[in-house]
Amino acid sequence: MEILKLNPVFKDYIWGGNRLRDDFGFDTGLEKTAEGWMLSCHTAGMNTIDGGEFDGKTLNEVIDEVGEEKLCGTNCLKFPYFPVLIKFIDARDNLSVQVHPDDEYARRVENEFGKTEIWYVLDAADGAELIYGFKDKITSEEFRQSINDGTLLDKLNSVKVKKGDLFFIEAGTVHAIGKGALIAEIQQNSNCTYRVYDYGRVGADGKPRELHIDKAVDVSKTEPPKYEIRPMGDKEIHDGYASQLLTTCELFTVKKYDVEKSVSLFADDKSFNHILVLDGHGTVDGIEVKKGASLFVPANYGEYTVSGKMEIIVTSI
C-alpha cells in the first residue's frame, strides 16, 4: 500500500488572511483563506488523493475500498468515525470566543461528535494573544450574566503567545485564537462549535453571526485551564534530527521532528501516520515534499525515511 499525498480543503471564514497563499504557496482560489484542512474525512470537506493508484478519490473512498483496519489501523476501530481532523489556521482577525461540547453532549444534541483539540503555534505577531479558559472559577450563572452584560472578556484568561507554544483545548474549554496567530490544529473529527461572543461582527448576509449561548453555558467548564502551555515532552537531539512529544492522549499522539539530515519512522498495524510539513523541503520514502505537504502513511506500512531539511508534525492514533 503506497503513501497517499493529500490535497487540502480550504475555508474562507471572515477572520482569515493570506498566509496560506503567501507563506505556503497554496493556490486556494479564495480572496482570503482562514483554514486549510490537511487531513479530513469530514462531510464539510474531504481530502482527495493527489497522484498514484487512488488519484482523485476522497480519502474516505479509499478507506471504504481498502478497509478501515488495513488502511487506518486497529486503534481506529474503537472510534465510530475517522478520528482526527488536522488544519492550518491563519487568524488575520480574532476568531469568535467559542466552546466545543464533549462526545456525550454532541451525540445527544447535535448528532455530531465532540471536539477536543490541540493548537501548536507556528508563528505569532508581536502581542498576539489567545483566550484559554477563565481567569478564576465562576458559576454557570455568572458566565451567562457576563455574556449578557458585556463583561465576558474581563473574566476570560488571555495569554500572549509565541512560536512553539502548545495548547491542549479539552472539550468544554472556552477559547479563541487571536489575530496574528498561525496555528496547526489537531482535533477530533468534528465541526461542532458553540459561538459565545463575536465582537459584534456581521456575516456575508449583513446580519450578526449566530450565537449559541444556552448550549455554550450547558457545556462550558467555567474555570482556569488545567494544562500547561507547552509541549508534553522535552526536545531530544539525535543524529540527523531532533524530536519532541507535543501531546499524547486517548484520542491522538502528536510528535514534532526537526529534520537536519534524515529520520527513520515506522507505521505499525495499530495506526496510520499523518505527516504535515511545517517548513523546509525533502523526501518521504522518495516522495518529494515541501512546506505545506500532507501525507497519509497507511497502517502497517513499516519503516520509512524522511530526508532533507524540514520541520514536520507526525500524528497517530
Side-chain angles (χ1 to χ4, degrees):
M1 182 70 195
E2 63 189 7
I3 294 175
L4 305 176
K5 191 172 184 180
L6 305 180
N7 292 311
V9 176
F10 297 107
K11 302 291 183 177
D12 62 347
Y13 307 133
I14 62 174
W15 43 262
N18 294 308
R19 295 193 66 175
L20 296 186
R21 180 194 69 196
D22 297 343
D23 293 6
F24 287 83
F26 289 126
D27 181 10
T28 71
L30 302 172
E31 183 177 346
K32 64 174 83 173
T33 307
E35 297 182 351
W37 290 19
M38 310 308 295
L39 174 62
S40 174
C41 286
H42 197 280
T43 54
M46 295 190 182
N47 297 129
T48 56
I49 312 303
D50 180 10
E53 177 184 357
F54 302 101
D55 184 47
K57 293 186 177 181
T58 67
L59 178 57
N60 203 51
E61 288 172 335
V62 179
I63 293 171
D64 288 343
E65 183 174 333
V66 174
E68 182 180 11
E69 181 174 347
K70 183 176 179 180
L71 193 70
C72 300
T74 56
N75 285 351
C76 292
L77 299 180
K78 65 184 178 182
F79 298 94
Y81 56 97
F82 187 78
V84 292
L85 200 165
I86 297 177
K87 304 175 179 178
F88 284 133
I89 298 176
D90 173 23
R92 185 173 182 177
D93 199 357
N94 294 320
L95 276 70
S96 61
V97 178
Q98 56 191 242
V99 66
H100 309 299
D102 62 17
D103 283 337
E104 186 281 325
Y105 188 96
R107 292 297 289 157
R108 175 167 51 86
V109 176
E110 307 291 352
N111 194 32
E112 170 72 288
F113 295 100
K115 185 175 173 183
T116 287
E117 61 194 357
I118 67 165
W119 297 336
Y120 181 72
V121 181
L122 303 178
D123 194 20
D126 290 342
E129 295 184 342
L130 305 181
I131 290 173
Y132 186 40
F134 288 79
K135 294 177 182 175
D136 302 296
K137 184 176 178 61
I138 63 174
T139 66
S140 293
E141 291 75 16
E142 289 171 324
F143 177 34
R144 184 187 293 275
Q145 182 60 39
S146 71
I147 297 170
N148 292 335
D149 65 20
T151 62
L152 174 63
L153 295 183
D154 296 332
K155 292 179 167 52
L156 295 173
N157 179 42
S158 293
V159 182
K160 291 191 181 300
V161 295
K162 63 185 183 304
K163 180 178 180 179
D165 283 344
L166 189 286
F167 291 76
F168 190 93
I169 313 292
E170 190 175 33
T173 304
V174 177
H175 61 277
I177 298 174
K179 61 183 178 181
L182 182 67
I183 302 287
E185 178 178 281
I186 294 89
Q187 58 159 92
Q188 282 182 270
N189 185 11
S190 170
N191 205 29
C192 188
T193 297
Y194 298 147
R195 195 178 293 128
V196 179
Y197 176 78
D198 198 38
Y199 306 94
R201 291 181 293 203
V202 297
D205 59 1
K207 299 178 181 179
R209 297 203 298 168
E210 182 182 7
L211 301 180
H212 314 94
I213 306 304
D214 290 338
K215 291 177 178 178
V217 171
D218 281 347
V219 305
S220 294
K221 298 175 181 178
T222 53
E223 59 191 17
K226 59 185 179 183
Y227 298 99
E228 293 185 74
I229 303 170
R230 63 178 303 277
M232 285 188 178
D234 295 325
K235 192 171 186 177
E236 300 178 1
I237 306 300
H238 308 273
D239 183 19
Y241 69 98
S243 64
Q244 187 171 30
L245 175 66
L246 298 185
T247 291
T248 186
C249 63
E250 70 278 6
L251 297 167
F252 41 70
T253 294
V254 186
K255 296 179 180 179
K256 182 172 183 285
Y257 295 89
D258 297 334
V259 183
E260 290 293 330
K261 295 180 181 177
S262 68
V263 57
S264 293
L265 302 176
F266 196 89
D268 61 21
D269 62 348
K270 293 181 180 179
S271 176
F272 66 87
N273 286 185
H274 177 262
I275 300 174
L276 185 62
V277 181
L278 308 181
D279 203 2
H281 59 88
T283 62
V284 177
D285 255 17
I287 301 172
E288 293 190 5
V289 295
K290 61 180 182 179
K291 182 177 182 177
S294 172
L295 298 179
F296 186 98
V297 182
N300 215 21
Y301 183 87
E303 186 175 15
Y304 60 97
T305 301
V306 179
S307 301
K309 187 173 178 61
M310 53 184 162
E311 297 178 29
I312 63 172
I313 283 178
V314 180
T315 301
S316 59
I317 303 304

